[in-house]
Amino acid sequence: MKNHVLYPGTFDPLTNGHLDIITRAANLFEKVTVCVAASPSKNTMFSLDERVSMLRESVAHLGNVEVEGFSGLLVEFAKQKKANLLVRGLRTTMDFEYEFGLTSMYRKLVPELESIFLTPSEEFAFLSSTIVREVAIHGGDVEGFVPAAVFQQIQKKV
C-alpha cells in the first residue's frame, strides 16, 4: 500500500512534538503505523510495553493510526508491514545530519524505502524526549510538553 507510512522512534517518552508529527502524517496518509523501537542499547525510562501503551492511548482519537512495538532493524519491520515510506521529524540541522545518514543507510539496505521529513509546529520545535526526561527527573513540570496519558505515567515513575 503506497499510502501506508511508518513513523519510527523510541518515544521515551512521547512528546507533544511527536504527537504533532503523527497528527499531521495522519492527515496526509491513509494509514500511519507508529513503530516503537525496543532500543535495548538505550537506557529507557519506560519499557517497550509502557511506551506502546502510552502511545496507543495518546493517538486513540486518530482512526488511521496504529501503534506497534518492534525490535531489530527498522528496514526489516518496514518489509514485514509492506510499507515503503518513512516519516521522520526534523527540528534542527543536527537532526538533518543524523537523519540524512540513516536515510542513506536505509537506501543501501532497501532501495525502495523512501523517507520524508516533517518539521514540527514552531511551539514544539525545542522539544525532545531527552529534555522532557531530564526536566521530569529533576522535578520540573513537564505537563505542557507531553500528552495527558504520558504525563500521568511520568508522575508515577518519578
Side-chain angles (χ1 to χ4, degrees):
M1 178 188 297
K2 289 197 180 222
N3 288 326
H4 181 191
V5 63
L6 303 181
Y7 179 42
T10 305
F11 305 107
D12 185 48
L14 174 72
T15 69
N16 287 337
H18 294 129
L19 190 56
D20 178 53
I21 297 291
I22 294 166
T23 301
R24 291 177 37 240
N27 288 329
L28 293 169
F29 300 100
E30 288 177 28
K31 182 179 179 182
V32 177
T33 300
V34 180
C35 318
V36 185
S39 299
S41 63
K42 291 185 178 181
N43 186 19
T44 58
M45 176 183 271
F46 295 100
S47 70
L48 177 60
D49 288 341
E50 288 170 323
R51 288 179 280 134
V52 167
S53 177
M54 286 185 287
L55 256 149
R56 284 184 178 148
E57 190 173 341
S58 298
V59 301
H61 65 287
L62 300 170
N64 62 333
V65 176
E66 64 180 26
V67 179
E68 286 192 49
F70 78 99
S71 59
L73 290 175
L74 173 61
V75 292
E76 293 304 320
F77 185 79
K79 284 182 194 176
Q80 176 190 0
K81 290 293 168 186
K82 296 181 178 22
N84 63 343
L85 190 58
L86 300 176
V87 166
R88 299 295 291 162
L90 292 179
R91 294 168 298 144
T92 65
T93 55
M94 287 174 40
D95 285 350
F96 174 79
E97 288 181 23
Y98 176 76
E99 294 296 338
F100 186 80
L102 280 179
T103 299
S104 297
M105 178 58 78
Y106 296 153
R107 280 192 190 131
K108 294 286 184 194
L109 296 172
V110 182
E112 63 274 10
L113 186 61
E114 291 290 341
S115 296
I116 63 166
F117 303 98
L118 296 176
T119 57
S121 297
E122 207 171 284
E123 65 189 291
F124 304 123
F126 69 95
L127 272 180
S128 73
S129 294
T130 303
I131 291 171
V132 169
R133 274 194 320 271
E134 286 297 313
V135 170
I137 288 168
H138 291 95
D141 182 11
V142 296
E143 186 172 13
F145 306 135
V146 296
V150 175
F151 180 66
Q152 291 169 358
Q153 293 304 314
I154 289 173
Q155 285 186 304
K156 289 178 186 176
K157 280 278 187 199
V158 298

